[in-house]
Amino acid sequence: MFIAELRRLQWERIAGLMDTERMAAYAPSRDPRAIRYETQRLERLMTDVAEAERSGVAAVEIRRHRVYRIDARPTAGSCSAGIPAPTVHLMAASPDEAAERAWAMHGRDGGLYQRGGHHIASVKQVLPEPGEMF
């Protein structure tokens, strides 16, 4: 739901811009926010390339973020009967990174996974298109 809400807000912003600028079709080159997003993306790319060159990596791997759903299940012997298993959605470059980030955020003492004795059961990409959300 959070992703759908973000997309709805973005399209409302774009529709307002199109009305204000009297665009027949959306042109990212006339959208200050789209220009800023692209500039930030290119800066991240240049930073990744520079870091790869410094570390001696022959080929730079450009990983784009996708949205993943991380499902958790109760561990054996835990007292989580009847409690729904937590599901987390987040953006990451790979399923492994998504699982690591989910555990880092929610696996600590008192975190979402620790409260009921859960472990990560699955990590699935939920938005099929690659790339950044906007």
Side-chain angles (χ1 to χ4, degrees), residues 3 6-7 10 33-45 48 62-67 91-93 125 127-134:
I3 296 164
L6 287 175
R7 285 183 171 246
Q10 185 71 352
R33 191 173 296 183
I35 292 168
R36 186 176 75 236
Y37 289 160
E38 183 62 13
T39 302
Q40 290 170 346
R41 186 187 71 79
L42 290 173
E43 288 171 356
R44 286 191 308 269
L45 178 60
D48 291 347
I62 301 170
R63 299 185 306 172
R64 300 191 63 181
H65 284 66
R66 294 163 171 84
V67 177
M91 291 181 75
Q125 184 178 333
L127 290 181
E129 66 273 11
E132 296 176 8
M133 197 152 35
F134 303 122

Side-chain angles (χ1 to χ4, degrees), residues 7-33:
R7 285 183 171 246
R8 182 187 66 78
L9 291 171
Q10 185 71 352
W11 282 113
E12 284 178 0
R13 185 194 68 74
I14 289 171
L17 175 72
M18 289 176 68
D19 285 344
T20 302
E21 296 291 321
R22 297 190 168 145
M23 291 183 207
Y26 176 65
S29 62
R30 293 177 53 195
D31 182 349
R33 191 173 296 183

Side-chain angles (χ1 to χ4, degrees), residues 88-129:
V88 176
H89 290 85
L90 53 83
M91 291 181 75
S94 68
D96 289 339
E97 183 182 320
E100 288 173 16
R101 289 185 55 212
W103 191 258
M105 287 190 292
H106 303 292
R108 64 188 181 280
D109 289 340
L112 182 63
Y113 298 146
Q114 293 295 315
R115 270 187 243 138
H118 292 83
H119 69 277
I120 294 175
S122 67
V123 179
K124 295 179 185 155
Q125 184 178 333
V126 293
L127 290 181
E129 66 273 11

